[in-house]
Amino acid sequence: MMAPHPMIALWRNDLLESLHTGHAVVCDEKGDIVQAWGDPDAVIFPRSSCKMIQALPLLESGAAEHLTTEQRALLCASHNGAAIHVERVQAWLSEMDLGDDDLRCGQQHPADKPEAARLIKTDASPCQVHNNCSGKHAGFLLLNKHLRGDADYELLDHPVQQACKGAFEEVTEVASPTFGIDGCSAPNFATTMHGLARGMATFASATEGNSRGRVMVSLREAMALHPELVAGEGRACTELMRAMGGKVMIKTGAEGVFIAIIPETKMGIAVKATCGTTRAAEAMIATLLIHLGHLDPAHPAALRRIGGDIMNWRGTKTGELRTVDGFPI
């Protein structure tokens, strides 16, 4: 195994305060590695970065032809639980004659401040639709109705999750060596860094010439059309996709994972910060997108992730995040 590569450094005055290491892989349309740092064979949990792969069984089943671009974006989302997310998932459940109790993702306090304040003011409790994965789970429910499976669609041996595993292994071209239970209770299948990047390159190079290609194109276009649904205001996924004019689709995953889908160059990127922090993963993906010429380093959304000043509560500069020599090459 190759060691994680030093990538991002936090400097406070002239002292190196923190150092973030990780793995990163850039793949081309053939699935070959174009550039890599750390260990391409490192096995990771992709967490929510792979939601577009988990959506494939539904969209390929024939049960989702009526879905809107907003619903397709929500399939890929790790959203803030804002009104724009919650209301759309609730409406989607109603379309299926289902409700909040049919979800299996669990209640989650919304990250969106206005929605959190509304719950407090009305003395209401968060529902499962507030869960950041509720869009993905609405998709699971739709597939489950099509398959006529039992209610516990989140279990590993359920046909819904077995279909997701099959799609995941096909797209990554890696037999998953293990699985873990995600924060939303669904299985999350492990893969290699190379496998995850290869899967994203497959999405990037997909065309409408075949059925799977059409599905992949529809998902990436939905993400580009509705970046506010994929994450939410203030989030890196939303802000950076907007900054790149919808030409690149990016998606975060818990514990320091990030992916990018770049149709223009038919490339895919996978990043894993070994410290597991969001700050490190956001800085790493922004750095690579700048390096590959897709993100303006002077854009405010980029500067909030890498190269910009870190300010304290009084507006005083306290430090900055910088890339480490050798990342990127």
Side-chain angles (χ1 to χ4, degrees), residues 137-197:
H137 278 252
F140 285 160
L141 282 170
L142 181 55
L143 178 58
N144 194 34
K145 286 193 73 171
H146 179 73
L147 297 176
R148 298 183 181 181
D150 62 47
D152 295 320
Y153 64 82
E154 84 287 2
L155 299 180
L156 177 65
D157 60 355
H158 194 283
V160 166
Q161 301 307 327
Q162 286 302 300
C164 289
K165 180 183 180 183
F168 185 74
E169 292 182 333
E170 287 173 12
V171 174
T172 59
E173 299 182 28
V174 176
S176 180
T178 189
F179 74 97
I181 301 302
D182 219 331
C184 67
S185 295
N188 195 247
F189 300 102
T191 191
T192 64
M193 290 295 301
H194 186 186
L196 185 58

Side-chain angles (χ1 to χ4, degrees), residues 17-81:
E17 185 171 30
S18 298
L19 180 65
H20 296 297
T21 66
H23 309 287
V25 177
V26 182
C27 274
D28 64 16
E29 61 182 306
K30 297 179 181 178
D32 295 333
I33 295 175
V34 176
Q35 289 182 282
W37 299 264
D39 188 0
D41 293 323
V43 177
I44 67 161
F45 288 117
R47 304 297 297 272
S48 288
S49 75
C50 68
K51 283 180 176 174
M52 64 290 297
I53 301 178
Q54 292 173 301
L56 291 178
L58 168 62
L59 271 64
E60 293 177 333
S61 71
E65 293 181 0
H66 66 286
L67 291 187
T68 66
T69 56
E70 290 185 345
Q71 289 168 329
R72 289 169 194 256
L74 285 168
L75 286 172
C76 306
S78 297
H79 61 70
N80 280 349

Side-chain angles (χ1 to χ4, degrees), residues 76-215:
C76 306
S78 297
H79 61 70
N80 280 349
I84 63 168
H85 307 118
V86 171
E87 291 168 3
R88 283 164 174 78
V89 176
Q90 287 174 328
W92 190 358
L93 292 173
S94 295
E95 288 175 13
M96 294 186 281
D97 295 321
L98 299 172
D100 198 79
D101 289 343
D102 293 297
L103 294 169
R104 294 291 185 268
C105 49
Q107 296 174 344
Q108 182 180 357
H109 197 74
D112 180 73
K113 291 182 179 179
E115 180 65 8
R118 185 190 70 80
L119 292 177
I120 292 170
K121 289 176 182 178
T122 58
D123 197 26
S125 298
C127 300
Q128 292 192 85
V129 288
H130 289 99
N131 188 295
N132 77 98
C133 297
S134 64
K136 177 181 78 172
H137 278 252
F140 285 160
L141 282 170
L142 181 55
L143 178 58
N144 194 34
K145 286 193 73 171
H146 179 73
L147 297 176
R148 298 183 181 181
D150 62 47
D152 295 320
Y153 64 82
E154 84 287 2
L155 299 180
L156 177 65
D157 60 355
H158 194 283
V160 166
Q161 301 307 327
Q162 286 302 300
C164 289
K165 180 183 180 183
F168 185 74
E169 292 182 333
E170 287 173 12
V171 174
T172 59
E173 299 182 28
V174 176
S176 180
T178 189
F179 74 97
I181 301 302
D182 219 331
C184 67
S185 295
N188 195 247
F189 300 102
T191 191
T192 64
M193 290 295 301
H194 186 186
L196 185 58
R198 179 165 46 219
M200 297 307 109
T202 299
F203 269 85
S205 60
T207 69
E208 296 188 338
N210 57 69
S211 58
R212 173 156 285 184
R214 286 192 292 274
V215 166

